[in-house]
Amino acid sequence: RTVYNAPDPAFVAHGGADRQEQRRIMERYQIDYPFLLYAGNIRRHKNVPRLVEAFAVVRGQLAAHPVYKDLRLVIIGDVISQFPAVRQTVIKSRVEQVVRFLGFVPSETLRCFYESAAAFVFPSRYEGFGLPPLEAMACGTPVVTSNVSSLPEVAGDAAVLVNPENVFDIARGIKEALLDETLRAELIRRGYAQAARFSWEKAAREVLEIYHEAAAGGD
């Protein structure tokens, strides 16, 4: 029996951040440009170096785009100093000035980043579940994630799925999520519905049912 995790209710039930508060938080971090968001730790299986490389590809391809010519990448959730390989990839890809590592932020701030991002990109090679894509969906943000491990099951048809081993496929998924307005609208609509399928109330109820069944079987 599988009992699924769920996003924090703060991401699901808020009905959208107050726009003034959202603007204030973005101003505090001096963000006045479109950005891709990654949230999570930076361990090896999270595939952050390939994300950086894919971002560099996309930024080069969109250099003349009226909206995304100044696209940035924001990475939240870990201390970059502990991962020199990621920093080396940023330097090698020549995107030092347009990739920001913000470390850990409060949940309320993270929610605003989710809601403000042009897309959420999560090309992990392995996840036991994968909460960040669902959190982004619950905040109305188009998601690009991997076509491996548990992520297709979690994301359903509400994300652009990419091969996490292929930088150019990750870049392809990012461009689709940014540039295809019909797809963006559909991802947002499906994302809300997909995130709503998971709740801690449902998880607790299903675990309780299993306990009842186990206890009855022991009589």
Side-chain angles (χ1 to χ4, degrees):
R1 298 278 290 276
T2 299
V3 177
Y4 291 105
N5 293 336
D8 186 322
F11 295 111
V12 177
H14 54 81
D18 177 84
R19 292 299 174 189
Q20 186 173 355
E21 174 69 7
Q22 187 174 340
R23 189 163 49 249
R24 185 184 65 79
I25 289 175
M26 292 299 104
E27 288 175 353
R28 184 198 312 162
Y29 285 90
Q30 298 182 315
I31 292 178
D32 57 359
Y33 40 74
F35 65 94
L36 303 175
L37 177 66
Y38 169 86
N41 62 50
I42 309 181
R43 293 175 188 149
R44 186 172 180 179
H45 69 279
K46 296 293 189 178
N47 211 26
V48 174
R50 280 200 181 95
L51 167 58
V52 171
E53 292 170 353
F55 164 70
V57 170
V58 171
R59 185 173 164 86
Q61 293 173 341
L62 299 182
H65 192 275
V67 175
Y68 296 115
K69 61 186 177 182
D70 193 27
L71 185 68
R72 311 287 181 96
L73 173 61
V74 174
I75 296 175
I76 289 175
D78 224 330
V79 181
I80 184 58
S81 61
Q82 298 177 5
F83 303 93
V86 176
R87 177 61 73 185
Q88 289 167 11
T89 301
V90 170
I91 295 170
K92 185 178 178 181
S93 301
R94 300 181 179 179
V95 288
E96 305 101 299
Q97 302 305 313
V98 289
V99 177
R100 292 185 63 183
F101 295 90
L102 300 184
F104 296 96
V105 301
S107 293
E108 183 72 16
T109 300
L110 177 59
R111 191 185 83 193
C112 285
F113 271 94
Y114 276 134
E115 293 178 337
S116 301
F120 179 75
V121 190
F122 196 76
S124 177
R125 292 197 299 262
Y126 173 79
E127 293 293 321
F129 183 67
L131 279 174
L134 282 180
E135 292 173 346
M137 289 177 187
C139 291
T141 302
V143 171
V144 179
T145 193
S146 301
N147 62 4
V148 300
S149 189
S150 64
L151 289 163
E153 184 176 359
V154 170
D157 64 353
V160 178
L161 299 181
V162 298
N163 178 356
E165 305 296 341
N166 188 316
V167 168
F168 294 100
D169 198 45
I170 299 170
R172 183 268 310 166
I174 292 170
K175 283 184 66 179
E176 286 183 7
L178 292 178
L179 302 182
D180 187 331
E181 291 299 330
T182 301
L183 175 63
R184 284 182 63 82
E186 192 64 14
L187 290 174
I188 291 169
R189 184 188 69 79
R190 293 178 181 177
Y192 281 130
Q194 183 69 4
R197 293 182 57 238
F198 301 86
S199 75
W200 285 113
E201 181 180 353
K202 180 180 178 183
R205 186 170 60 250
E206 291 178 357
V207 170
L208 188 59
E209 288 173 1
I210 293 170
Y211 282 154
H212 283 316
E213 290 175 17
D219 288 342

